[in-house]
Amino acid sequence: MRHSSARIAVAPRRRLQSVRGWIELAAGLALVALLTEWVQWAFSAPSGLRFTAGGIYVAIATAVLWAWPASRHGLGWANRITLIRAVLIAIIAGVVVYPDFIQRHAEGIAALALLALSLDGIDGWVARRTGSASTFGARFDMELDAFFIVVLCTALIALDKAGTWILIIGLARYAFVMAGMYAPWLHRALPDSVFRKTVCVWQVATLMACLLPFVEPTWVTGFTLLAALLLALSFGRDIAWLWQRRAVDASGL
């Protein structure tokens, strides 16, 4: 009877803990609403910003819930910081559909992007300090980085500083994932790489700097071509490593 009552007591607690994640994601949506209202009041942003930014955040939250591990109860501190990054990125992405507004406030968008980039280093540090690093957290962080790069590429197109070719940088990660559908060996886990992480930060920093008004389109082309070259090198190294492992596995060694 004692074991049975213990199980009955634990069940409600688990349900409450699973609700915690929903509450945290809802708090993120509330923060998006608060920030968009402030941007509209302070900078005369388009009224549609609340819908574009809110819709993008809801899409991110839906993806988080879809990937949510059954064993996880709450986000944890590191993932909460990543969620704040998601809020900032959702606002930036929501603004991208208003090119005139971006033209007037490019410095502010770049500052917001810099804050999001700064938080990218903090969430990993917190995960290591608190011993809360997880596969879920790493995936959340990585996919958010990939989406952030797409958003920044789109912003440069909206500012007429780069052609649509720049989306090659933003869509490279998704092309790699799709290629894995036909070549499953591409989906194998990769070892940690300082070079890979550095290239990712370089992409975001380059695209963010190119948003600034004083960076001419000619310079944007040069900087982004360099970023694309480094990205190709990073993917090339990883694909070569995965191919070597594939050959070893196929030979049975």
Side-chain angles (χ1 to χ4, degrees), residues 126-199:
V126 170
R128 291 187 295 272
R129 291 281 295 182
T130 60
S132 58
S134 66
T135 303
F136 169 77
R139 183 68 180 272
F140 184 16
D141 185 64
M142 178 177 62
E143 297 299 343
L144 193 59
D145 284 342
F147 178 64
F148 191 20
I149 291 172
V150 172
V151 169
L152 292 176
C153 288
T154 307
L156 288 175
I157 295 172
L159 288 170
D160 289 327
K161 284 193 165 188
T164 54
W165 69 266
I166 201 174
L167 287 173
I168 293 173
I169 296 175
L171 298 177
R173 157 75 184 161
Y174 300 101
F176 180 79
V177 171
M178 290 183 64
M181 296 173 62
Y182 302 95
W185 53 272
L186 287 171
H187 281 171
R188 291 182 180 140
L190 287 162
D192 286 337
S193 169
V194 174
F195 180 76
R196 187 188 311 120
K197 293 177 181 177
T198 302
V199 168

Side-chain angles (χ1 to χ4, degrees), residues 101-111 156 159-161 206-220 223:
F101 182 79
I102 300 177
Q103 291 279 1
R104 297 195 306 269
H105 302 285
E107 299 94 336
I109 302 301
L156 288 175
L159 288 170
D160 289 327
K161 284 193 165 188
T206 297
L207 296 170
M208 179 186 65
C210 289
L211 290 174
L212 297 171
F214 59 80
V215 181
E216 298 293 331
T218 303
W219 286 99
V220 170
F223 291 149

